């Protein structure tokens, strides 16, 4: 019996595939055939014959047959992408097709903006980045050693736009293209924002003393860099042995050695560049620093409060002015009265045997808060830099919140008052956590039995005390008479 002709025809042991190969790599297209017999196997790419049987036809030396009829291509290039056909020349040709997709690492094309972009403050700028590769690369923007102006760490897109540039937007912006093939590609663009000088003073008020050294500091930012000069009022200062300047980056310092009283006053740093100019002011003063309160805001007594503060001054403090008032929503009426205070201080206004008298009109007759009550307290001069002081305020109302201010005087003048008044409460007051201005009284003792017991104990104590006192007086009189006899 003759074998079936169809059964004797060659068949493929492999199927067509899609191979994704990076450039410069090697690809092998498999083509295994059963019962090839007398038939010829050929590799084709389009109309071009690459191999015929065991013979290589293509002149490309990167192409060869390996392990039978498998087709190998070395050093794959992007032009190698496409379909490769394994063909058997039967009466009705049989074929399998392999598709080569060449993977290309990302490559950044030179952007329109280039490696350096210069703009003026306030203008809009767009940074562009174009990249090629297979698959199509994803482009991500970052900023070297900083966040992007939007506050993000990165932004994805072919371009990045800043609507209104400021000096804070200057820096190096990095475009990164990646597609999972090879290493990501990067390109840097340096953005330079030109702007007039911007000045910040380190301290707008500098305290010092005679014979000491003072430093006035201005932080100047400008692009292009600015020229910086120091002025005293309207007079430009020259460099002398006692007055010098230092520049370290954006920090500009005027140093005055062995300060004289005539050095106190208003100074300014003036900065100028081709785009504009600016000036900021600094006061050099021998006046004391503002007072810092150190006492606990919760008083221990119901009708008095010991207020404590400290003042820094290179020059001895001569006197203080203490002002206080109650913080109340109800109108208050003033009644003049006296407050006693130790005689070692010279207290004003109105001194009488060591007492201090309030002047009439210290309280408003209406309004949300009372007027300030004022004390002038003279003190013994001290060479210490930090001067501490306490004062006992009496005749206060229980369960009441007060606010106080203190200014200090040395021979150069009065200090500035604290920016915020210090608040304290007399005993029996609690501050509601939901409102710092609400004051609540301590709960009243309602147990009448407890009150009665306390009253009885008080009466018993007074009786015993009276008996002891009478006995003591009697004994003293007896001794007196006996000695007289």
């Amino acid at each position: 019996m003759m074998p079936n002709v169809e059964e004797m025809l060659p068949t493929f042991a492999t199927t067509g595939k899609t191979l994704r190969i990076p450039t410069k790599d090697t690809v092998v297209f498999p083509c295994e055939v059963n019962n090839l017999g007398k038939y010829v196997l050929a590799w084709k790419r389009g109309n071009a014959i690459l191999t015929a049987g065991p013979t290589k036809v293509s002149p490309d030396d990167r192409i060869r047959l390996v392990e039978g009829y498998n087709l190998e291509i070395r050093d794959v290039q992007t032009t190698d992408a496409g379909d490769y056909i394994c063909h058997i020349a039967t009466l009705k040709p049989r074929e399998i097709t392999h598709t080569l997709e060449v993977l290309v690492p990302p490559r950044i094309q030179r952007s329109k903006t280039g490696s350096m972009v210069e703009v003026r403050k306030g203008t809009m700028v767009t940074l562009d980045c174009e990249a090629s590769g297979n698959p199509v690369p994803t482009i991500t923007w970052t900023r070297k050693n900083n966040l992007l102006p939007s506050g993000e760490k990165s932004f994805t897109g072919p371009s990045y736009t800043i609507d209104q540039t400021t000096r804070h937007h200057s820096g190096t912006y990095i475009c990164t293209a990646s597609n999972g093939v090879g290493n990501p590609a990067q390109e840097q663009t340096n953005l330079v924002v030109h702007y007039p000088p911007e000045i910040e003073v380190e301290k707008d008020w500098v305290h010092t003393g005679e014979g000491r050294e003072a430093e006035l500091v201005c932080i100047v930012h400008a692009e292009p860099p600015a020229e910086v000069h120091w002025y005293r009022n309207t007079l430009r200062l020259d460099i002398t042995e006692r007055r010098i300047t230092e520049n370290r980056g954006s920090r500009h310092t005027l140093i005055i050695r062995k300060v004289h009283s005539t050095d106190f006053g208003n100074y300014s740093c003036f900065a100028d560049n081709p785009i504009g100019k600016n000036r900021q002011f600094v006061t050099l003063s021998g006046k004391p620093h503002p007072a810092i309160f150190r006492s606990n805001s919760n008083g221990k007594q119901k009708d008095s409060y010991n207020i404590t503060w400290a003042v820094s001054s290179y020059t001895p403090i001569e006197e203080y002015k203490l002002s206080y008032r109650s913080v109340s929503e109800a109108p208050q009426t003033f009644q003049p009265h006296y407050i006693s205070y130790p005689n070692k201080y010279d207290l004003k206004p109105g001194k009488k045997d060591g007492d201090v008298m309030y002047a009439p009109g210290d309280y408003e007759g209406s309004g949300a808060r009372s007027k300030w009550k004022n004390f002038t307290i003279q003190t013994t001069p001290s060479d210490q830099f930090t001067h501490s002081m306490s004062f006992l305020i009496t005749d206060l109302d229980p369960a009441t919140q007060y606010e106080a201010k203190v200014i200090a005087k040395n021979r150069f003048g009065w200090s500035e008052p604290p920016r915020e008044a210090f608040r304290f409460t007399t005993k029996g007051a609690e501050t509601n956590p939901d409102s710092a201005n609400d004051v609540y009284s301590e709960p009243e003792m309602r147990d009448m039995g407890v009150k009665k017991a306390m009253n009885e104990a008080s009466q018993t104590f007074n009786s015993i005390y009276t008996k002891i006192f009478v006995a003591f007086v009697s004994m003293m009189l007896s001794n007196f008479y006996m000695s007289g006899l």
Side-chain angles (χ1 to χ4, degrees), residues 208-264:
T208 189
E210 287 183 299
R212 297 185 176 273
E213 182 174 285
E215 290 189 359
L216 313 183
V217 180
C218 279
I219 310 299
V220 180
H221 299 279
E223 183 60 44
E227 290 189 9
V228 178
H229 302 285
W230 285 92
Y231 286 77
R232 167 79 188 277
N233 296 324
T234 58
L235 179 65
R236 179 173 166 177
L237 298 176
D238 295 324
I239 302 302
T240 65
E241 291 183 358
R242 201 171 60 83
R243 189 170 54 219
I244 63 174
T245 59
E246 286 185 357
N247 303 329
R248 294 182 181 179
S250 59
R251 182 185 174 92
H252 296 259
T253 306
L254 172 65
I255 301 174
I256 303 175
R257 296 169 175 166
K258 296 182 180 180
V259 170
H260 299 165
S261 59
T262 54
D263 293 321
F264 295 132

Side-chain angles (χ1 to χ4, degrees), residues 19-29 45 60 62-63 71-82 84 100-105:
L19 292 89
R20 305 174 79 242
I21 304 298
T23 56
K24 301 186 180 301
D25 209 340
T26 298
V27 63
V28 176
F29 301 109
R45 184 186 180 195
D60 193 338
R62 297 178 302 126
I63 297 176
L71 181 67
E72 178 187 88
I73 303 176
R74 301 185 304 275
D75 191 22
V76 170
Q77 304 298 317
T78 56
T79 54
D80 295 327
Y84 291 80
L100 174 61
E101 182 180 342
V102 179
L103 303 180
V104 182

